[in-house]
Amino acid sequence: MRLITTLFKTLLVLALLAGVGLLALLLLWQQDLRRVDDLNVLEYGGKATVVDASGQIIGALTPSLSSGARVNRDLLKAAQMSSWLRKAVVTSEDTRFYTHGGLDPRGLARAVLHSATGDQEGGSTITQQVVRSTLLADIGQDKTLSRKLKEALMAVQVERRFSKEEILTAYLNVVYWGVGRTDLLGAQDAARTYFGVDAARLNLAQSAYLATLLPNARRYNDYKAYRPLIRSVLTRMVREGRATQAEASAAWHYPLRPVGWTVRYDAAGNLTQAQLSDPAAKRTRSPAPQVRFADGFLDAVERDLSERLGRSVLYRSDVTVHTTMNRQAQVSAEAASRGATLPSGATLGLALLDPRNGDVTALVGQKLGDGVLEQWNNATRARRQVGSSIKPLLYTLALSKGWKQSDTVPDAPLDGDYQPRNYSGTYSGRRVTLRYALDHSLNLPTVRLAQQVGLNSFVSKLRELGLSPAPDTGLPLAIGALEASPLQMAAAYAPFANGGTYYAPRLITKVTEGGKTILTVNRSGGQRVWDQQTAYLGLDMIRGVVGDLTPEQGGLGWKARIDGRQVGGKTGTTNGIRDLWFAGVTPGLSAAVWVGRSDNASLPASAYSGDVAAPIWQAAAAGALRGQQATAFSAPPDVVFRSVRGVQMAFKVEQSGGLLGGLFSGNAAPAQSDAAQDTSAQDQQATQNLPSQQAADQQTADRAAQAQIDAQAADRAAADAAQQAATDQAARDQAAAQAAQDQAAQAARDQAAQQQTNQQNQPSVSPGEQSQTDPDAVPVPDTGGDTQAVPGDLQPLPEPTPGTTPTNSGPASSDNTVPDSTVPDTEVDQPEQ
């Protein structure tokens, strides 16, 4: 009796624990369980018409599921599907479909038994398969206990929410039936591809054949081996009352010919010959990819609107959705996608927006024109590492803290465990200006800059810009260890073009039904992330990335230039060459493009973001602005320009003393480089504040300033020559002094040798002792490099003497304008993690 009582208590405790565990899972997964209502979209009756910013119709929305599964083809009602197909599929996939409540314990037990004996047999019901293919599509095919439990709970919810016929219809609309020109999803695709008929006209033989493909669509490739499965399905249909013996016999004798196969049968219906005579026939007959105009934009609108109104509301009524899309920009972006030259297997994502308010003007989610349709919208939903396109955000943060473009940072390895490299694998060992480091996308100076600016500060700024750094990313964040979509990057770059304000992207302006507005979406108020001067300094730096260097000099953004327009931007390439980026701005437009493979595989080593991504950006932006009057970026007050080593740079005028005070005053920025010390009163007189209103006046001022700079260049060249001569003379004097010292040392050695000869039987001095007194062991002379202190632990590196090459340096520089370091012969924007 005591044993029974103990057993009962144990079972009771286990039941309570199971109940508590189930309740915990229900609470944990309540958001997922709410997805069950999403299946309403598979039987929707309404229509959502989408119009662009000018009121022209773009198209109608097609439903998607919150999991990410997209339903982008014609949905069939139950009456539009052959009754034979419905019966054959139920017989083959879930014979107790009409009696269970979403889960089939007998089928599950049978699957476990077969698996134990080495056979593979699925135990999932049709309801579970619907859940897996739609509501849990974002989880994929992971065979985890968590996914199985979630699938089971949601299957029970689906059974309570929908009828059996609705569930079966949903299944037949989304189930996978192989691959043609794209995935064959649903009965209509299968019927038209394999037999050239509509789903409503499938006979029993054709239906039984399609049912045999559901567990594994590759069975198509061996018709002879799997022909007996058709007889098995027909026999079971007779046994379970879904077909008569006569109907099954007629189906067996039917001369079934799947597409591409040449077959022959005998009088008894047995197969006598089977040959896949036309392997390409299935692809040829399959439905062409459904590529609509503005498909990526419509997808983004549908997802945004579904979150605001709910899918059941959206697809049960006729509404008009007013959007921010600019038709010219969308046409241009799609043309850029079609014309893009991509590495084999690669696709893209492209986003354009108006930097003045955050309104999205164009989206392209895939590479168009290659005959492949992928459902994933890379423009808005991809989260890929951004590579060096993140660097301008860090450099601008440094500028906001008092650094200047002419300040220098060492291009040398770091101390500590984290050892990033420049993309070329080399370093110059010299101090380089911030402008030079960004122009050449050097990783080592960038990481050192992040150490000085502070990672916490950088993380906070990225979040203000709508980006989401992963926790504890560390220093790799500075060179691209951040995942984002093209739309997010376009929005993050927009403050460069609008004076420093971040606007959250907006797709929808309003929704109307029968002339009545049922939803209004206002523009975001905007958040100031940079002051106007800092935003312009950052803009000036990314304009340098595009315009400072030619391709022969290592210029990374050269192919993003647009004739007659000002352009600033930055490339980005990630480890393994998995992602290629270009993000940039021009007056009135901010845009970003990503190129990569959907499976995250590496691209060829010859793929560079400046050659692949930048031209796509250029084509999209140039087309979007075609026909519009070219305008220029206007410098705000307290920004002046001066030439540093032949490069015109923008500087912020400090309140404590104008330009000179700003360049030489003690502030939070590092002590100034030798480049900044070139400043003279004559330079200051030549610099001018750019007018902020009229583009024509601005261009006139630009020309005048440049003429003055050119005039001063000759004076500076003469001064440089005099300085060089003085340096050479100092070197000769030092060499003479060294020679005298060497001569004295040699005389001393000779005298010592003579003394040693005179001393008989005296032991010689050991090498170790000699090294302590050897007069040749003199300190390395100072080379006259920058000796000013830098904030933190960064110490100045000695400058090499003229005509020497630093150790471990890259190829010789062909850049005569910024002689801070050597110019790598490849793009240098690869983050090392």
Side-chain angles (χ1 to χ4, degrees):
M1 186 66 180
R2 181 176 299 176
L3 180 61
I4 295 176
T5 302
T6 302
L7 181 60
F8 176 77
K9 290 181 178 178
T10 301
L11 292 175
L12 181 60
V13 170
L14 291 175
L16 289 173
L17 290 175
V20 171
L22 181 61
L23 179 61
L25 289 177
L26 289 173
L27 293 175
L28 179 64
W29 293 336
Q30 59 180 334
Q31 188 65 35
D32 288 321
L33 295 178
R34 291 196 188 103
R35 292 183 179 181
V36 168
D37 286 340
D38 282 3
L39 292 182
N40 278 323
V41 304
L42 301 178
E43 284 282 354
Y44 73 89
K47 179 182 179 182
T49 301
V50 183
V51 300
D52 62 20
S54 65
Q56 297 184 65
I57 293 178
I58 302 171
L61 294 183
T62 55
S64 66
L65 301 169
S66 55
S67 65
R70 179 112 176 259
V71 183
N72 62 352
R73 44 186 48 82
D74 293 335
L75 296 172
L76 302 182
K77 304 292 185 182
Q80 295 174 297
M81 299 179 188
S82 164
S83 61
W84 287 127
L85 180 65
R86 301 172 76 86
K87 293 175 182 179
V89 167
V90 168
T91 301
S92 176
E93 292 294 293
D94 187 4
T95 191
R96 281 177 292 280
F97 171 69
Y98 289 102
T99 58
H100 64 62
L103 304 176
D104 183 10
R106 290 172 58 186
L108 182 60
R110 186 179 69 253
V112 172
L113 178 61
H114 279 269
S115 297
T117 60
D119 295 331
Q120 296 297 319
E121 181 171 330
S124 298
T125 64
I126 284 177
T127 311
Q128 288 175 278
Q129 292 183 58
V130 169
V131 170
R132 186 184 310 148
S133 299
T134 57
L135 306 178
L136 295 181
D138 52 341
I139 298 180
Q141 299 299 316
D142 297 336
K143 296 182 179 180
T144 62
L145 178 61
S146 173
R147 198 218 70 177
K148 284 291 187 183
L149 289 174
K150 189 180 293 186
E151 179 184 293
L153 287 174
M154 297 183 77
V156 173
Q157 289 288 95
V158 168
E159 289 278 348
R160 295 177 59 185
R161 178 68 179 80
F162 299 95
S163 71
K164 290 289 186 178
E165 291 304 318
E166 287 174 331
I167 296 170
L168 181 57
T169 299
Y171 176 74
L172 292 174
N173 267 314
V174 300
V175 68
Y176 173 79
W177 251 300
V179 178
R181 277 178 282 187
T182 185
D183 287 347
L184 304 176
L185 298 181
Q188 189 75 319
D189 279 2
R192 289 178 174 175
T193 298
Y194 288 104
F195 298 111
V197 299
D198 288 334
R201 297 179 54 201
L202 289 168
N203 61 32
L204 177 54
Q206 295 165 337
S207 298
Y209 172 78
L210 292 180
T212 66
L213 296 182
L214 286 178
N216 188 344
R218 289 190 296 271
R219 291 175 176 177
Y220 163 82
N221 296 316
D222 194 349
Y223 182 60
K224 182 177 182 180
Y226 293 104
R227 167 73 174 171
L229 292 180
I230 297 177
R231 182 186 287 277
S232 176
V233 171
L234 294 172
T235 300
R236 290 168 57 193
M237 291 181 69
V238 172
R239 185 171 65 243
E240 295 167 10
R242 297 191 177 102
T244 66
Q245 184 61 56
E247 290 168 333
S249 179
W252 179 248
H253 287 82
Y254 178 80
L256 194 66
R257 288 183 175 83
V259 63
W261 280 90
T262 299
V263 294
R264 291 183 180 178
Y265 302 91
D266 62 19
N270 298 312
L271 189 66
T272 60
Q273 179 185 346
Q275 180 183 359
L276 185 55
S277 55
D278 187 0
K282 185 171 68 158
R283 175 181 174 85
T284 302
R285 188 188 283 178
S286 65
Q290 297 181 8
V291 179
R292 303 173 298 170
F293 171 66
D295 191 62
F297 196 98
L298 291 170
D299 170 75
V301 167
E302 193 275 336
R303 295 181 187 282
D304 186 13
L305 196 56
S306 295
E307 291 180 4
R308 296 177 185 275
L309 291 179
R311 288 172 174 80
S312 59
V313 174
L314 177 59
Y315 291 111
R316 293 293 177 181
S317 57
D318 292 326
V319 298
T320 300
V321 185
H322 300 258
T323 72
T324 59
M325 193 191 86
N326 178 288
R327 185 170 293 268
Q328 178 177 328
Q330 183 67 37
V331 170
S332 175
E334 294 193 5
S337 176
R338 289 189 178 89
T341 301
L342 303 185
S344 177
T347 185
L348 60 80
L350 176 59
L352 284 67
L353 58 78
D354 187 336
R356 295 168 295 187
N357 48 40
D359 284 355
V360 181
T361 56
L363 294 172
V364 179
Q366 290 290 337
K367 171 66 172 78
L368 303 178
D370 59 1
V372 177
L373 175 64
E374 297 184 14
Q375 296 181 8
W376 197 256
N377 187 350
N378 291 306
T380 58
R381 306 185 66 217
R383 295 294 183 273
R384 303 296 290 251
Q385 285 203 358
V386 300
S388 291
S389 62
I390 198 176
K391 290 178 181 175
L393 308 180
L394 172 65
Y395 281 69
T396 305
L397 178 61
L399 296 175
S400 74
K401 292 178 177 292
W403 291 67
K404 299 168 184 64
Q405 297 189 56
S406 57
D407 290 333
T408 61
V409 182
D411 177 26
L414 280 68
D415 296 328
D417 295 334
Y418 178 53
Q419 290 295 318
R421 296 178 301 160
N422 292 331
Y423 183 60
S424 64
T426 65
Y427 57 88
S428 69
R430 300 183 60 178
R431 302 188 66 88
V432 296
T433 64
L434 299 191
R435 176 82 167 223
Y436 183 91
L438 187 62
D439 276 356
H440 296 274
S441 200
L442 298 178
N443 287 336
L444 294 174
T446 300
V447 175
R448 287 177 174 273
L449 182 63
Q451 290 176 318
Q452 299 306 302
V453 171
L455 279 177
N456 290 337
S457 180
F458 188 37
V459 167
S460 297
K461 183 60 64 175
L462 291 175
R463 288 173 178 163
E464 291 178 13
L465 291 164
L467 302 171
S468 302
D472 304 321
T473 302
L475 287 174
L477 180 65
I479 52 177
L482 170 82
E483 294 182 347
S485 69
L487 181 57
Q488 287 177 305
M489 289 303 292
Y493 267 60
F496 289 127
N498 66 26
T501 301
Y502 172 81
Y503 294 98
R506 182 178 71 150
L507 291 158
I508 302 167
T509 59
K510 65 179 180 179
V511 180
T512 60
E513 181 180 11
K516 179 181 178 182
T517 300
I518 62 174
L519 175 69
T520 300
V521 181
N522 296 318
R523 289 169 175 156
S524 69
Q527 176 184 2
R528 179 160 290 283
V529 291
W530 314 113
D531 61 66
Q532 290 187 11
Q533 290 77 19
T534 297
Y536 191 86
L537 298 186
L539 170 67
D540 189 56
M541 289 195 75
I542 61 175
R543 287 184 61 191
V545 172
V546 174
D548 281 353
L549 304 174
T550 66
E552 293 73 24
Q553 295 170 324
L556 305 177
W558 185 262
K559 293 184 179 179
R561 295 176 308 136
I562 302 173
D563 290 342
R565 298 187 185 273
Q566 298 175 346
V567 173
K570 183 69 183 73
T571 53
T573 307
T574 62
N575 276 341
I577 317 183
R578 290 180 171 87
D579 308 279
L580 305 176
W581 285 84
F582 189 86
V585 297
T586 189
L589 184 145
S590 180
V593 60
W594 164 85
V595 173
R597 290 177 60 99
S598 297
D599 58 6
N600 201 32
S602 294
L603 300 173
S606 59
Y608 298 103
S609 51
D611 294 331
V612 177
I616 301 171
W617 187 97
Q618 193 274 349
L625 298 172
R626 187 172 294 114
Q628 300 180 28
Q629 182 178 359
T631 58
F633 291 114
S634 297
D638 297 329
V639 168
V640 295
F641 294 84
R642 63 179 301 273
S643 179
V644 177
R645 299 188 176 185
V647 176
Q648 189 178 23
M649 302 182 188
F651 293 90
K652 185 186 299 186
V653 176
E654 302 293 339
Q655 298 300 321
S656 58
L659 175 61
L660 291 176
L663 287 175
F664 293 105
S665 64
N667 55 28
Q672 303 308 309
S673 65
D674 56 348
Q677 295 173 18
D678 291 337
T679 306
S680 64
Q682 189 174 16
D683 285 335
Q684 181 186 13
Q685 191 175 26
T687 56
Q688 303 179 39
N689 287 337
L690 295 179
S692 59
Q693 299 297 322
Q694 301 296 329
D697 293 341
Q698 179 176 326
Q699 293 172 357
T700 301
D702 284 344
R703 288 192 294 270
Q706 188 60 53
Q708 186 68 31
I709 289 168
D710 293 340
Q712 294 163 4
D715 295 338
R716 281 198 300 274
D720 289 343
Q723 182 179 2
Q724 185 62 53
T727 301
D728 293 341
Q729 183 61 47
R732 287 192 294 271
D733 293 342
Q734 184 177 5
Q738 184 64 52
Q741 185 178 4
D742 291 344
Q743 185 175 7
Q746 185 62 45
R749 283 196 296 271
D750 293 341
Q751 182 179 2
Q754 184 63 42
Q755 291 174 354
Q756 184 175 7
T757 302
N758 295 335
Q759 296 175 359
Q760 298 298 322
N761 299 323
Q762 295 296 321
S764 62
V765 179
S766 68
E769 295 169 338
Q770 178 70 29
S771 68
Q772 301 301 317
T773 58
D774 187 353
D776 283 338
V778 295
V780 177
D782 182 73
T783 58
D786 188 346
T787 60
Q788 293 175 301
V790 198
D793 61 356
L794 297 184
Q795 296 303 317
L797 301 182
E799 294 281 344
T801 56
T804 64
T805 302
T807 59
N808 198 26
S809 68
S813 174
S814 60
D815 174 18
N816 296 321
T817 59
V818 193
D820 290 300
S821 176
T822 57
V823 180
D825 59 355
T826 58
E827 181 174 345
V828 284
D829 63 352
Q830 173 119 344
E832 298 289 336
Q833 300 178 42

